[in-house]
Each structure stands twice: as C-alpha cells, then as structure tokens.
C-alpha cells in the first residue's frame, strides 16, 4: 500500500475504464488490454522510485513514506490487478443503452446506476462464493495468466 501503488493504480484504473467504455460502442471496438498497463506501469514505477523523495508523511498516528524503496514485483502486480478490475465494461451498460436507443425509454440516472452497481456486485459476490473451488486449489492454473506471470518475472 505505497504511494506509488495508489497513484499508478488509480491512474491506470481511471484511464483504462474510460477508454474501454468510450470505445465500446463502436462497430469494431478499440479495447486496451491489461498488458498495456503492465508494460507502462513498470517504467513509471521505476521512475517514481528514482525521483520521489524519501519523505515521511504523518496522518495522525499513521506514518508513510513517499518512497519506501525500489519498485518491486508486489507493487507492480497490485497496479495491474487494480487496472484489470476496471478493464472490462459492465454488461448492464448495454441494457441501459439499448433501452434508451431502441425502445426510447430512459431509465433515469439513479435507476441506471443502481442496475449497473447491482449486477456488478452480484457478479463479484458469485466469484467470492466460488473462490474456494476456482482459485484456492493449487491445480487451478489459468492459462491466460501465464503470460502476465512470465512478464512479471522477466521484469523483476
């Protein structure tokens, strides 16, 4: 939970979610993948580790450093995981858009917001319930993640 993680994680999360959602409605959508974040966050993290001052910030009883040391693999993986959580578009956005464009029915902001948040929370809840079956066993290797793991090990 370093300053570099929060800065780069939030930056890439906002940029990736905006770009992917903005271009989602094109006939051939432009999708910025998580590999781009993984490649760009490494030199930015290294630059921040080099140029940020070693200064401690006090927030009441809490104390943290702007530059706790070299940019490591843990920060890099956390930045990538944060951006990955926002890389895809929420499928409920399609419901709101289709109702507005094809059926000429506007749900309104609050109802649309509640629909999107509810469906996202339902998906994350089901993922949490299935975690012990799909994530915890050591035999569960997801082939799509092998590329990212190899790249993390190459960088660090």
């Amino acid at each position: 939970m370093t300053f570099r993680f929060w800065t780069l994680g939030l930056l890439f999360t906002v940029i990736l979610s905006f770009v992917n959602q903005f271009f989602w409605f094109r006939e051939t959508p432009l999708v910025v993948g998580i590999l781009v974040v993984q490649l760009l966050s490494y030199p930015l993290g290294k630059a921040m580790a080099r140029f940020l001052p070693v200064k401690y910030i006090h927030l009441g009883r809490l104390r943290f450093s702007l530059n706790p040391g070299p940019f490591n693999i843990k920060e890099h993986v956390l930045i990538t995981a944060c951006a990955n959580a926002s890389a895809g578009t929420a499928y409920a956005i399609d419901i709101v858009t289709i109702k507005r464009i094809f059926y000429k029915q506007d749900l309104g902001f609050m109802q649309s917001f509640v629909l999107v948040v509810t469906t996202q929370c339902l998906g994350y809840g089901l993922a949490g319930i299935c975690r012990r079956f799909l994530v915890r066993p050591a035999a569960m290797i997801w082939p799509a993640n092998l590329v990212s793991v190899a790249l993390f090990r190459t960088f660090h």
Side-chain angles (χ1 to χ4, degrees), residues 80-136:
T80 306
C82 277
N84 193 23
S86 70
T89 61
Y91 294 126
I93 297 290
D94 292 340
I95 297 170
V96 174
T97 306
I98 288 169
K99 279 188 68 83
R100 181 178 293 161
I101 293 175
F102 293 113
Y103 297 114
K104 308 292 188 232
Q105 296 174 350
D106 189 16
L107 288 177
F109 173 76
M110 199 62 198
Q111 287 82 1
S112 300
F113 181 75
V114 169
L115 174 70
V116 172
V117 170
T118 306
T119 56
Q120 289 296 103
C121 288
L122 184 66
Y124 281 119
L126 287 174
I129 290 171
C130 297
R131 182 178 181 186
R132 67 179 173 163
F133 305 113
L134 299 176
V135 176
R136 288 288 180 202

Side-chain angles (χ1 to χ4, degrees), residues 41-100:
S41 63
Y42 182 73
L44 289 174
K46 284 288 197 183
M48 286 180 80
R50 184 172 183 177
F51 295 117
L52 277 177
V54 181
K55 180 180 178 182
Y56 287 97
I57 306 293
H58 298 280
L59 296 172
R61 295 187 331 186
L62 298 174
R63 182 179 95 146
F64 69 93
S65 173
L66 287 179
N67 194 356
F71 185 67
N72 57 24
I73 191 169
K74 191 187 307 183
E75 289 175 300
H76 198 184
V77 170
L78 284 173
I79 291 166
T80 306
C82 277
N84 193 23
S86 70
T89 61
Y91 294 126
I93 297 290
D94 292 340
I95 297 170
V96 174
T97 306
I98 288 169
K99 279 188 68 83
R100 181 178 293 161

